[in-house]
Amino acid sequence: MKKINLMLVAFLVLSITFVSCNSDDDNTPTPDGEEQGDDDDDTASFVGAVYAMTNGDGQIAGTNIQGPNTIIAYGRADDGSLTPIGPFATGGNGGDYDGGEGLDPLISAYALTKTDDNENLLAVNAGSNTITSFNIADDFSLEAVGDPLDTGAVGPNSIATTDDVTVAGTKGLVYVSNITRPEFLAGGEPMHQGTVTGYWLLESGALQAIPGSTRDLPIRPSAVQFSPDGQWLVITSINSGAVALGSGSEDEVTVYNVGADGVLSANSWGTATSTLRDNTEGRNLPSAIGFQVVGNNYVVVTEAREFQPDGTPPAFPALQDGSVSTWQIQGDGTLTPITLDVRSGEGNTGRTACWLDFTADGNTFFVSNAIEAGLASYSFDNGAVTLLDQTAAQGTGTGGADNGPEAFASTDGWIDMWISDDGQYLYQLYGLDGTIGIYRVNGESLEFISEESNNLPDTNTQGIVAI
């Protein structure tokens, strides 16, 4: 009897152990980062999401195509931490138009964006000249809607949407900028002249091209955004003032009027630049990339100072401190300057100022400096801006004394960033490290929280969105 009892006890122990092991196995991470068996609990713990774009999976030899493009989705916890919830294919290819060093391959902002209602995510596929629309599910996963749509030009690099302009059966208006047209492709960045093209965002989440909406641009666009009221489409330029630019344009900011039918005015209504070619200050020209239109139609633009004062192409040792300039769009579409060339560094410690985002109260914004791998903070007051802190956040970057190609090997390469909808966290994409930096926003300052790695390629990524 004693022997039988011992055997029974042993059997019960083994049974408990087996159940325990199975329970652990049910919660092991899957390849896309989800845990099996507790999906509902995990989803319920997410208060938002972050989406980052791979922009491909490696260069295809002899081309500027990066291969299949993918969105990496993360669930966002209330402490700001991220949990991967799966890769989602765009159905298109990524691309590289920045010389192959792997940093900022589209030279753009908003390669990835979302609708204000957080129901749709929009992505560019620069290597296949298409755009993709996703529906965002309640659990923050993505579902592509229809096939990717052709943009009619080369290298879509920035996409914007507004729900202030609609027609029956639609929920919003979308415009995409393209890096160039085929006839300018071989000339490279100094000669590129692109386009913008419009689409309706349907209630289903699908996109529908708008006939007659394409506008040829005299510059290479770097970003596109709508004004808060949807009345204006604003475009920034990376090569304004370049001597190789056949159009001769020196405009870094261009404004089009948006019609009720979603079609832009035939010509721009307003243009501006902070720095003309051959200026007496000896300032490099403003290679404008990231910008936002906020409040009473204030246009806040980041400026990497790359093209030299005479308009000749960028030379790395000749880069200067980047800056921020602001204008206000007037009722007739013209741009009135407010503050121009407010530098993000001193002594070449703030070069390549390229992306920005505002805090929830609108009084502060942060500017990402790619080569320095740092964030500068600025105050904002009705269009007037002041540099608060050159190093509100700092990663592994390249100092002003370090120039040349080796700079790209010794920096994390901070590029796109986005502040979460609740205003609590800033998510910084490291363009040369495959990492997302997580910072708590404390008014005018930032607090480093953690980093999320091992899900993105080390190079050639572009685009990030936070909900």
Side-chain angles (χ1 to χ4, degrees):
M1 188 69 175
K2 184 175 181 180
K3 183 176 181 180
I4 294 174
N5 286 340
L6 288 173
M7 291 177 65
L8 179 60
V9 170
F11 175 79
L12 290 173
V13 170
L14 286 171
S15 299
I16 293 170
T17 303
F18 179 77
V19 171
S20 176
C21 288
N22 274 349
S23 177
D24 289 342
D25 287 344
D26 285 344
N27 290 280
T28 54
T30 62
D32 64 7
E34 292 183 313
E35 290 188 344
Q36 300 174 346
D38 285 329
D39 291 343
D40 292 339
D41 292 342
D42 289 344
T43 299
S45 69
F46 297 148
V47 298
V50 171
Y51 302 98
M53 191 165 72
T54 67
N55 187 45
D57 62 355
Q59 195 92 352
I60 297 176
T63 75
N64 59 4
I65 299 174
Q66 281 289 322
N69 191 14
T70 302
I71 309 301
I72 306 299
Y74 304 84
R76 180 172 71 87
D78 58 8
D79 63 357
S81 61
L82 301 178
T83 300
I85 57 176
F88 300 92
T90 68
N93 294 317
D96 181 12
Y97 292 85
D98 194 24
E101 82 280 344
L103 178 69
D104 189 20
L106 308 184
I107 321 180
S108 74
Y110 312 115
L112 194 63
T113 196
K114 68 178 182 68
T115 53
D116 287 341
D117 61 11
N118 293 334
E119 291 183 353
N120 302 96
L121 188 75
L122 304 171
V124 303
N125 303 304
S128 54
N129 305 326
T130 61
I131 56 176
T132 300
S133 176
F134 292 93
N135 284 334
I136 302 174
D138 291 341
D139 63 358
F140 302 110
S141 62
L142 300 174
E143 181 182 3
V145 185
D147 295 325
L149 265 64
D150 190 87
T151 65
V154 178
N157 67 339
S158 182
I159 192 165
T161 182
T162 179
D163 61 6
D164 286 297
V165 181
T166 61
V167 296
T170 73
K171 62 175 294 186
L173 177 63
V174 173
Y175 264 83
V176 61
S177 62
N178 293 277
I179 288 170
T180 192
R181 287 166 267 161
E183 60 266 36
F184 302 113
L185 180 60
E189 178 186 342
M191 292 181 63
H192 285 167
Q193 292 181 218
T195 69
V196 289
T197 297
Y199 304 81
W200 291 117
L201 178 63
L202 307 182
E203 294 288 352
S204 66
L207 293 168
Q208 182 181 83
I210 301 175
S213 64
T214 297
R215 295 290 178 267
D216 289 343
L217 303 174
I219 46 83
R220 181 204 189 281
S222 49
V224 59
Q225 290 280 280
F226 287 97
S227 60
D229 58 9
Q231 183 179 358
W232 310 103
L233 185 74
V234 183
I235 306 157
T236 49
S237 165
I238 194 70
N239 62 352
S240 58
V243 291
L245 194 55
S247 68
S249 173
E250 294 191 59
D251 300 324
E252 70 169 288
V253 183
T254 301
V255 177
Y256 283 88
N257 181 252
V258 181
D261 59 358
V263 177
L264 304 181
S265 53
N267 300 297
S268 62
W269 282 29
T271 60
T273 186
S274 70
T275 314
L276 291 169
R277 193 164 56 232
D278 298 320
N279 61 88
T280 57
E281 294 83 7
R283 281 292 271 161
N284 283 359
L285 304 183
S287 296
I289 299 185
F291 75 97
Q292 287 189 16
V293 190
V294 298
N296 190 18
N297 285 342
Y298 296 113
V299 183
V300 185
V301 183
T302 61
E303 301 166 320
R305 296 284 174 166
E306 297 182 356
F307 279 86
Q308 296 177 69
D310 62 358
T312 52
F316 197 88
L319 295 188
Q320 297 176 351
D321 284 309
S323 55
V324 172
S325 291
T326 63
W327 293 265
Q328 186 177 33
I329 305 173
Q330 303 303 310
D332 60 358
T334 58
L335 291 157
T336 299
I338 301 176
T339 52
L340 302 180
D341 194 12
V342 182
R343 303 188 189 192
S344 60
E346 184 177 353
N348 288 348
T349 59
R351 302 163 297 176
T352 56
C354 296
W355 299 268
L356 81 162
D357 203 3
F358 275 78
T359 56
D361 62 13
N363 295 327
T364 305
F365 63 94
F366 299 96
V367 171
S368 178
N369 285 285
I371 296 298
E372 280 70 38
L375 289 166
S377 59
Y378 284 79
S379 66
F380 180 84
D381 182 11
N382 293 317
V385 301
T386 302
L387 178 65
L388 296 173
D389 186 351
Q390 179 186 332
T391 53
Q394 184 65 60
T396 301
T398 302
D402 298 320
N403 293 299
E406 67 274 10
F408 296 102
S410 56
T411 176
D412 290 336
W414 288 13
I415 53 170
D416 306 84
M417 57 143 142
W418 201 292
I419 293 176
S420 58
D421 278 358
D422 57 16
Q424 295 189 49
Y425 296 97
L426 183 150
Y427 294 90
Q428 174 67 59
L429 182 60
Y430 299 1
L432 293 175
D433 191 54
T435 294
I436 298 173
I438 304 170
Y439 289 83
R440 180 177 285 111
V441 179
N442 297 322
E444 297 179 349
S445 64
L446 296 170
E447 176 191 355
F448 175 74
I449 301 298
S450 63
E451 295 177 342
E452 175 66 28
S453 301
N454 303 318
N455 299 290
L456 291 164
D458 284 343
T459 62
N460 288 302
T461 56
Q462 193 89 64
I464 191 168
V465 164
I467 291 176

